[in-house]
Amino acid sequence: MKNKIALTGIKPTGLPHIGNYFGAIKPAIELTQKYDARYFIADYHALNSIRDPKKIKEMTYEVAASWLACGLDPQKALVYRQSQVPQTFDLTSILMAFTPKGLMNRAHAYKAKLAKNSELNRDPDDGVNMGLFSYPVLMAADILLFDSDVVPVGQDQKQHLEMTIDIAQSINHIYNKELLKIPEPIIHKTTQTVSGLDGRKMSKSYDNTIPLFLKPKKLKKLIMKIVTNSQTIEEPKDPDTCNVFALYKLFTNHAEQEEMKKKYRAGGLGWGHAKTALFEKMNEKLAPFRENYSKIITDKEYIDKILDEGSKKAREIASKKMKMLKQNIGVGF
Ligand code: TRP
């Protein structure tokens, strides 16, 4: 029997941090064991905001190299560039005809932009391009083109998935046929939310991230900056409310965690000790990723080969889907 399909898009927005790894990269890589995975770089989505050709190109390589370095196996997942699958834009045009403008008016990212403009007393349309406005339609096309069964995404993308489902259901209803597969979101759980240096969710917008491929020296320096309380070395400490321990848990097994908990509770463990212990475990786990990354990123030809081959296969699948769809709606015959 044919495997179910897992698909996700990765916007090229810079090098990943630890929160991206545990929240998105790792779970998506795990899905490749059970699903036919299709993971692509959403470069047309990035085009709405990145207008420097060098930057968008470099970020595409960075994001591809990052996922490969973390263990994404191109034999197990189709890895491609959105821009190299033109059927995506063909489908976008079709979906546009069925997407109510009112639905797009409700999209969070667009609404946030409107709110910001209003706050700054600007014209509501200031800085709003059609790419931003119709962002959810392009995303729906990415998903529906490949008959995706599941779409692993962060909480912030949930609304986009709901819109995708809305659009697909309305088309299926109009033609009275299951022309488009209704996808199911897999939303990364809050338990996978990684806390940042200041204890808030790790996020670029909070400037509290730990980049995944940081060299040991810099990594240690950053870990030393993790916010703790002002307890003295002697005082017993509570691991469950500690930012250092929250990160320690991500890089250790159960036995190691229990041992560390004991040390916290016994007193005599200073924050410097706890941070050094975290650094050692983290560095041990991240070293292979870092090494893979530095090898892969210098071999652009290798990355191009993977993306080009993936894109070719993706185009083959996509063109079959478009043929079927177009026949059914009476265009492009
Ligand atoms: N919008 C997603 C993000 O910003 C990226 C994305 C584009 C995507 N197309 C997709 C995710 C299709 C899932 C499925 O993270």
Side-chain angles (χ1 to χ4, degrees):
M1 211 181 91
K2 200 169 160 285
N3 281 340
K4 290 200 163 190
I5 291 161
L7 172 140
T8 200
I10 313 149
K11 222 157 95 170
T13 51
L15 288 173
H17 54 68
I18 284 168
N20 299 135
Y21 176 72
F22 287 101
I25 304 176
K26 186 169 179 256
I29 291 177
E30 280 166 4
L31 281 182
T32 65
Q33 305 292 344
K34 278 206 254 152
Y35 289 86
D36 270 352
R38 319 215 187 290
Y39 297 158
F40 66 94
I41 299 165
D43 47 1
Y44 267 33
H45 275 116
L47 201 54
N48 292 326
S49 50
I50 310 174
R51 270 67 189 282
D52 176 346
K54 270 224 286 291
K55 198 167 160 198
I56 204 162
K57 200 170 169 188
E58 190 55 34
M59 280 181 163
T60 299
Y61 283 127
E62 280 176 3
V63 79
S66 298
W67 281 65
L68 295 168
C70 292
L72 178 64
D73 179 354
Q75 303 298 326
K76 287 201 189 135
L78 216 53
V79 188
Y80 56 94
R81 288 186 186 90
Q82 181 188 38
S83 58
Q84 283 182 292
V85 184
Q87 289 83 357
T88 308
F89 316 111
D90 199 359
L91 181 55
T92 301
S93 296
I94 293 177
L95 299 184
M96 287 281 190
F98 298 86
T99 305
K101 175 175 176 283
L103 187 68
M104 297 299 98
N105 288 343
R106 292 196 288 277
H108 294 318
Y110 170 63
K111 273 172 66 179
K113 189 88 190 171
L114 287 189
K116 185 106 205 182
N117 281 340
S118 147
E119 196 187 302
L120 299 172
N121 269 327
R122 291 195 182 134
D123 186 277
D125 289 334
D126 205 78
V128 179
N129 55 51
M130 288 305 290
L132 169 70
F133 186 65
S134 58
Y135 187 108
V137 187
L138 177 55
M139 187 158 153
D142 292 330
I143 297 168
L144 299 172
L145 187 57
F146 289 96
D147 293 325
S148 311
D149 290 285
V150 295
V151 183
V153 282
Q155 181 67 27
D156 62 327
Q157 299 297 313
K158 190 168 171 249
Q159 191 199 31
H160 292 152
L161 258 294
E162 288 163 0
M163 290 177 162
T164 300
I165 294 171
D166 259 18
I167 299 168
Q169 278 174 337
S170 104
I171 293 176
N172 289 348
H173 179 74
I174 290 166
Y175 295 94
N176 196 20
K177 200 169 177 182
E178 211 205 310
L179 295 177
L180 300 166
K181 170 74 131 285
I182 306 300
E184 190 190 318
I186 297 184
I187 308 288
H188 310 316
K189 296 208 180 62
T190 40
T191 49
Q192 287 161 334
T193 303
V194 176
S195 63
L197 298 173
D198 56 0
R200 289 187 292 174
K201 177 181 184 269
M202 190 178 286
S203 161
K204 269 194 201 130
S205 47
Y206 294 150
D207 197 19
N208 65 356
T209 66
I210 303 177
L212 199 55
F213 306 124
L214 217 52
K215 297 250 161 57
K217 240 185 165 166
K218 286 198 169 158
L219 180 62
K220 187 153 190 188
K221 226 173 138 186
L222 211 53
I223 288 175
M224 291 300 159
K225 285 192 191 153
I226 297 173
V227 177
T228 53
N229 61 25
S230 51
Q231 283 181 298
T232 61
I233 295 185
E234 295 74 32
E235 280 177 86
K237 299 175 179 66
D238 180 8
D240 299 324
T241 55
C242 173
N243 298 333
V244 182
F245 190 74
L247 288 165
Y248 190 79
K249 280 200 288 195
L250 295 170
F251 294 92
T252 47
N253 61 33
H254 185 71
E256 291 167 321
Q257 290 163 23
E258 289 306 306
E259 204 186 311
M260 186 55 83
K261 277 189 193 170
K262 268 193 215 145
K263 288 189 186 165
Y264 265 71
R265 291 180 180 133
L269 177 94
W271 291 130
H273 304 133
K275 288 175 179 178
T276 303
L278 169 63
F279 164 72
E280 275 161 15
K281 293 291 175 194
M282 213 187 239
N283 191 43
E284 192 185 306
K285 288 270 159 67
L286 296 183
F289 290 169
R290 186 164 59 221
E291 281 155 27
N292 289 343
Y293 181 80
S294 62
K295 267 188 229 139
I296 297 170
I297 196 64
T298 49
D299 193 351
K300 304 265 161 46
E301 257 175 60
Y302 169 73
I303 304 174
D304 276 335
K305 189 167 162 271
I306 288 173
L307 294 177
D308 291 349
E309 280 174 9
S311 301
K312 184 168 178 273
K313 285 188 198 144
R315 282 195 297 273
E316 282 162 18
I317 302 168
S319 85
K320 280 191 198 135
K321 178 78 194 175
M322 286 313 289
K323 203 167 170 191
M324 180 287 279
L325 184 64
K326 285 177 164 182
Q327 270 169 357
N328 273 283
I329 62 179
V331 298
F333 42 82

